[in-house]
């Protein structure tokens, strides 16, 4: 829902492909005022992993993981 709202907020007419990179990869396409949300992040990329899997693994590598006690570790 959030990516759709972001796409609408920047839409100025015609055709637009919106890609939003945040905690995942969101996408939406708008053609002549019709909004179509797309789940590009769920498409398979390599070795049975999706784009979203790869982005998440890359992010964990830079941000670390959460310990059981609620604190973050590298």
């Amino acid at each position: 829902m959030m990516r759709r709202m972001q796409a609408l907020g920047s839409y100025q007419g015609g055709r637009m492909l919106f890609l939003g990179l945040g905690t995942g990869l969101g996408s939406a396409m708008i053609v002549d005022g019709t909004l179509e949300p797309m789940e590009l992040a769920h498409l398979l990329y390599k070795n049975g992993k999706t784009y979203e899997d790869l982005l998440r693994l890359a992010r964990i590598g830079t941000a670390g993981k959460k310990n059981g006690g609620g604190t973050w570790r590298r």
Side-chain angles (χ1 to χ4, degrees):
M1 176 71 128
M2 183 62 138
R3 301 287 187 236
R4 288 179 265 177
M5 296 304 290
Q6 289 172 323
L8 283 174
S10 57
Y11 179 64
Q12 295 181 3
R15 297 178 188 174
M16 183 182 91
L17 173 62
F18 175 84
L19 298 174
L21 184 59
T23 56
L25 174 63
S27 54
M29 180 169 256
I30 305 175
V31 178
D32 298 325
T34 301
L35 175 68
E36 186 63 42
M38 302 183 309
E39 295 294 337
L40 293 179
H42 296 174
L43 295 175
L44 289 179
Y45 179 63
K46 285 184 181 176
N47 302 322
K49 294 192 180 339
T50 65
Y51 287 101
E52 194 167 59
D53 292 333
L54 295 173
L55 290 170
R56 181 177 35 245
L57 292 173
R59 182 65 182 138
I60 287 174
T62 61
K65 293 183 179 181
K66 196 171 186 180
N67 287 328
T71 58
W72 289 91
R73 62 180 168 86
R74 286 244 176 243

